[in-house]
């Protein structure tokens, strides 16, 4: 299945997909045994901005794809990574995240050591206020 077959709406129902959409379009999500995937199509202006950032030679970091207007989850929360450059259509961003990413994060925070409690200062050691 090519990226264009995964989009909902009129384009996903057999119509020809325009080279550049008028606004950012998100594919339906799909998965294999390891990853959940999603493709994002950028409008021409966003694609040009992306090429200015990457020169077409590297993947986007999360802060970079967010600057381009791509929204997938709360920042840093759900593990989406730009994982491949689709050379025939560089305005099609290919994203994936591990299927159990959310569970791994929950386990990490569950296993993280608690910050030590702030010890209480006995009254005898607390500073006193001097009237002057």
């Amino acid at each position: 299945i090519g990226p264009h077959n995964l989009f909902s709406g009129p384009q996903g129902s057999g119509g020809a997909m325009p080279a550049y959409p008028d606004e950012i379009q998100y594919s339906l999500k799909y998965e294999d045994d390891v990853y959940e995937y999603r493709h994002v199509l950028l409008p021409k202006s966003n694609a040009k901005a992306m090429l200015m950032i990457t020169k077409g030679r590297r993947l986007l970091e999360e802060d970079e794809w967010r600057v381009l207007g791509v929204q997938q989850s709360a920042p840093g929360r759900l593990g989406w990574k730009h994982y491949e450059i689709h050379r025939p259509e560089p305005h099609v961003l290919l994203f994936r995240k591990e299927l159990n990413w959310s569970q791994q994060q929950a386990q990490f925070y569950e296993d993280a050591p608690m910050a030590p409690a702030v010890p209480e200062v006995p009254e005898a050691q607390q500073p006193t206020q001097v009237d002057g």
Side-chain angles (χ1 to χ4, degrees), residues 101-113:
W101 193 90
S102 296
Q103 293 169 343
Q104 290 174 358
Q105 292 302 302
Q107 188 65 45
F108 171 79
Y109 287 109
E110 190 174 296
D111 294 344

Side-chain angles (χ1 to χ4, degrees), residues 55-92:
K55 308 293 187 246
R57 296 186 186 118
R58 65 174 180 82
L59 301 173
L60 293 166
E61 297 294 329
E62 180 177 350
D63 61 330
E64 293 171 329
W65 53 260
R66 286 190 181 282
V67 164
L68 295 173
V70 176
Q71 299 176 358
Q72 301 198 79
S73 58
R77 294 299 306 253
L78 292 179
W80 288 104
K81 302 283 185 196
H82 181 211
Y83 76 96
E84 186 176 332
I85 297 173
H86 186 58
R87 298 270 180 224
E89 300 172 297
H91 68 289
V92 177

